[in-house]
Amino acid sequence: MSNQQINITLPDGSVRDYEKGVSGLQIALSISEGLARNVLAAKVNGEVWDSSRPIHQDSKVQLLTWNDPEGKNTFWHSSAHVMAEALESLYPGVKFGIGPPIENGFYYDVDFGDKPLEGAELEKIEAKMMELAKSKSEFIRKDVSKSDAIAYFKEKGDEYKLDLLEGLEDGSITFYEQGNFVDLCRGPHIPNTGFIKAAKLLNIAGAYWRGDE
């Protein structure tokens, strides 16, 4: 049926027909397997999406790889989530603020409570990150109601995420899950943790939550 087909316009101006609900990764596969292996995310009508997210209407699509700034950003953002999962497994009870990509990498605001984190522990965290990356866990996006999100982080006891949730609109909240880690996050993320082949943690810096001593 024709109404199940959508037009996808690629950056070179070519238009291809696909079934409604096609993902960026499936579009990449239809072009070449080599491209599909390197796709980190997809830019859909100017917005960066997970490459696995279904597209339901005629769209302009750019497939993002490591050569694109948005591809690198997605990769580093996902690396921050893997670091957070490593920290949670090594230091149960840690609390998380925000973990964005930055110009040449990523960071995550973390509260270890009364435990000081020593620089010597960075290698142990890196090793745990690589162990988790090898499991090739998919990044799974879930739409969550504000009340469910609040309940989840209340039970977890993470006041930083509850603080972030206060400023979010119901209906616009998403969780991302990979392996044993769940985070409040807009995304997007790489297809799975297996894309991360190396990690180097360079430093630990003190920070105030929202600049408040």
Side-chain angles (χ1 to χ4, degrees), residues 46 69 84 91 174 202 208:
Y91 310 99
T174 49
L202 299 173
Y208 294 121

Side-chain angles (χ1 to χ4, degrees), residues 9-83:
T9 306
L10 297 170
D12 64 1
S14 64
V15 180
R16 293 176 172 230
D17 276 357
Y18 290 97
E19 271 189 38
K20 201 174 182 176
V22 70
S23 69
L25 203 53
Q26 288 167 327
I27 294 168
L29 265 171
S30 76
I31 297 167
S32 86
E33 273 191 29
L35 175 61
R37 275 197 299 274
N38 288 296
V39 166
L40 300 172
K43 199 172 189 177
V44 180
N45 298 323
E47 198 180 323
V48 185
W49 283 19
D50 304 320
S51 63
S52 58
R53 191 168 159 188
I55 302 165
H56 293 292
Q57 61 204 52
D58 294 353
S59 299
K60 287 184 174 175
V61 175
Q62 180 189 353
L63 301 165
L64 302 171
T65 68
W66 182 255
N67 297 326
D68 303 290
E70 296 108 326
K72 281 192 180 79
N73 270 354
T74 303
F75 183 90
W76 282 326
H77 187 178
S78 300
S79 301
H81 278 233
V82 173
M83 178 172 72

Side-chain angles (χ1 to χ4, degrees), residues 34 42 62 89 91-92 94-95 98 123 133 161 185 189 193 206:
Q62 180 189 353
S89 75
Y91 310 99
V94 296
K95 295 171 185 181
I98 55 169
E123 284 186 12
K161 295 295 181 185
C185 181
H189 286 285
T193 60

Side-chain angles (χ1 to χ4, degrees), residues 43-212:
K43 199 172 189 177
V44 180
N45 298 323
E47 198 180 323
V48 185
W49 283 19
D50 304 320
S51 63
S52 58
R53 191 168 159 188
I55 302 165
H56 293 292
Q57 61 204 52
D58 294 353
S59 299
K60 287 184 174 175
V61 175
Q62 180 189 353
L63 301 165
L64 302 171
T65 68
W66 182 255
N67 297 326
D68 303 290
E70 296 108 326
K72 281 192 180 79
N73 270 354
T74 303
F75 183 90
W76 282 326
H77 187 178
S78 300
S79 301
H81 278 233
V82 173
M83 178 172 72
E85 187 184 0
L87 290 171
E88 202 165 72
S89 75
L90 293 170
Y91 310 99
V94 296
K95 295 171 185 181
F96 297 102
I98 55 169
I102 49 177
E103 193 181 347
N104 280 310
F106 58 91
Y107 72 86
Y108 216 125
D109 282 333
V110 181
D111 184 348
F112 287 93
D114 298 330
K115 183 199 177 320
L117 184 70
E118 304 296 333
E121 293 174 68
L122 291 179
E123 284 186 12
K124 181 173 78 170
I125 299 164
E126 287 167 3
K128 188 68 182 174
M129 283 179 72
M130 288 300 89
E131 181 194 316
L132 293 168
K134 285 192 179 87
S135 67
K136 296 187 180 177
S137 301
E138 281 181 46
F139 285 87
I140 300 160
R141 180 179 189 273
K142 290 178 179 168
D143 290 298
V144 185
S145 71
K146 190 163 182 173
S147 58
D148 284 353
I150 289 168
Y152 177 82
F153 285 109
K154 268 190 175 160
E155 190 180 325
K156 199 176 177 190
D158 200 326
E159 64 267 29
Y160 302 106
K161 295 295 181 185
L162 290 168
D163 190 5
L164 290 167
L165 273 164
E166 272 181 31
L168 298 180
E169 297 273 316
D170 207 348
S172 69
I173 298 168
T174 49
F175 277 8
Y176 273 84
E177 184 181 326
Q178 97 271 358
N180 293 313
F181 184 67
V182 177
D183 205 355
L184 169 69
C185 181
R186 274 201 312 265
H189 286 285
I190 58 179
N192 66 64
T193 60
F195 281 69
I196 299 167
K197 306 293 186 197
K200 185 70 192 159
L201 304 180
L202 299 173
N203 56 46
I204 302 164
Y208 294 121
W209 179 240
R210 297 194 187 276
D212 184 349

